[in-house]
Amino acid sequence: MKKIASSLLAPLVLATPLLAHAGPAIDLKAAIKAGLQSNQGAPASAENGTKAAPGQAIDSTVVTPVLAGLKGLDLGGVRLGMQAEEAKQILKKLNPTLHLENLPMIGDSVRGFVMTNDTRRMQVYPNGLDRFTVFVNEANNIFLVKRELMQLPPERHIVLSTFINSLAEKFDAPGLDTHGRSNRVPLYRWFYDMQGRQYYDNGGASPNPCREQSSAGNPLGYQTNPLPTCAATIHAMPFTDTKNQELVHAYQITITAPWLRHDAPALRANADSAARQRQADQDKVKENKPQL
């Protein structure tokens, strides 16, 4: 099989398991529309978005109201900013065969969970592998959600044009400039700025409020040093095989809000607590003196 992908593109989140567990039938042609909230209406205005006050640092408190004003920014009903426990309930209702797993070993830098129908029993999945990866911040708010539908059997392959049209129906804002969109690109990308305006990656010098500030890609799938203009990103990647590149046998979609990576109030509370503990430790021994 041949992936429609480029080694020059920053890698997306984590490697995809190749096997999955047989379960109830899944309408895979409609799966990409799961939790569909059509992206209708004009892009969010400054009133629906936000503007940082002069001298105010960009953090989660700035981007949260922007995300709340954006429609269609979900996968399977899981939205950026949602609490982790609510997301687990939504996914279990979406597909009862999904079970909870811990994230792979990626250190202490990222917290979150995986829900998948993958049993790793080397079985063929008649309905494909359905896998959600979710990253959360210190307050358990979601800042990244990725959905992978892999290993689709031949009878559940999706025509590439249908896949692209489904992406457009779900994610495109009315009037969005997509002049560079093609059936033959390895990655479809959307961006949102801090006023809730949407942009599409048409290649070349397309406007991009989320342009990477360094050439080093993050294998976890989110920007660690985002521009202050970047509210959210969407990446969608289809996979086809060499026998018929008009048929999609697998795909993955990732939505991120890099400024939601850390929860500002939680960080401040943690810093205050640490400062109080340091002071308390000093107070306990403030009468002690060295033996000279």
Side-chain angles (χ1 to χ4, degrees):
M1 293 185 291
K2 178 181 178 183
K3 295 182 181 179
I4 303 180
S6 168
S7 61
L8 298 179
L9 294 170
L12 295 181
V13 187
L14 307 177
T16 303
L18 295 181
L19 296 175
H21 166 64
I26 304 171
D27 186 352
L28 292 169
K29 287 189 177 182
I32 195 172
K33 299 181 181 179
L36 178 62
Q37 298 177 11
S38 298
N39 196 1
Q40 301 298 321
S45 66
E47 288 73 22
N48 292 330
T50 185
K51 289 185 179 180
Q56 179 183 2
I58 302 298
D59 60 23
S60 63
T61 62
V62 176
V63 74
T64 296
V66 181
L67 300 175
L70 300 177
K71 297 180 179 179
L73 204 60
D74 75 281
L75 290 176
V78 175
R79 288 184 55 86
L80 297 176
M82 178 180 286
Q83 282 281 301
E85 289 305 314
E86 181 181 1
K88 293 174 184 177
Q89 295 175 16
I90 288 174
L91 293 179
K92 194 64 177 177
K93 184 176 181 180
L94 174 71
N95 183 353
T97 69
L98 299 180
H99 62 270
L100 185 66
E101 293 185 355
N102 294 325
L103 287 175
M105 296 297 292
I106 53 179
D108 297 329
S109 60
V110 175
R111 300 168 55 249
F113 62 90
V114 170
M115 289 193 72
T116 179
N117 61 353
D118 183 9
T119 61
R120 293 176 175 81
R121 294 176 179 171
M122 304 301 290
Q123 297 176 344
V124 175
Y125 287 75
N127 302 302
L129 181 151
D130 198 1
R131 176 185 174 92
F132 286 83
T133 302
V134 175
F135 292 168
V136 301
N137 62 21
E138 296 83 358
N140 284 323
N141 296 123
I142 294 169
F143 73 91
L144 179 148
V145 55
K146 181 177 78 165
R147 186 176 192 180
E148 301 159 289
L149 274 167
M150 313 296 288
Q151 296 261 335
L152 302 184
E155 68 273 14
R156 295 189 178 277
H157 286 181
I158 303 169
V159 176
L160 183 58
S161 60
T162 300
F163 177 84
I164 296 168
N165 290 338
S166 296
L167 291 176
E169 180 181 349
K170 181 169 178 60
F171 296 125
D172 283 3
L176 180 67
D177 177 11
T178 59
H179 71 271
R181 182 173 285 164
S182 165
N183 288 5
R184 298 292 178 201
V185 298
L187 185 64
Y188 301 87
R189 303 197 301 172
W190 296 255
F191 314 101
Y192 294 86
D193 66 18
M194 285 295 183
Q195 280 68 54
R197 293 183 294 251
Q198 187 187 59
Y199 304 80
Y200 182 76
D201 182 9
N202 289 301
S206 300
N208 181 355
C210 300
R211 196 174 303 278
E212 292 280 2
Q213 297 193 71
S214 69
S215 58
N218 183 345
L220 296 178
Y222 64 90
Q223 297 182 20
T224 55
N225 189 28
L227 291 172
T229 53
C230 181
T233 68
I234 304 170
H235 291 183
M237 180 183 290
F239 300 91
T240 65
D241 60 55
T242 55
K243 293 182 180 179
N244 188 344
Q245 293 192 11
E246 295 301 321
L247 293 177
V248 174
H249 65 78
Y251 59 88
Q252 60 187 34
I253 304 172
T254 306
I255 302 179
T256 70
W259 284 106
L260 205 60
R261 167 68 183 89
H262 293 290
D263 182 75
L267 288 181
R268 287 194 291 268
N270 291 341
D272 291 344
S273 176
R276 289 193 298 271
Q277 184 60 53
R278 288 194 298 270
Q279 186 60 53
D281 292 341
Q282 296 174 47
D283 291 342
K284 289 178 182 178
V285 297
K286 64 181 180 180
E287 300 300 330
N288 294 353
K289 295 182 180 180
Q291 298 183 29
L292 304 177

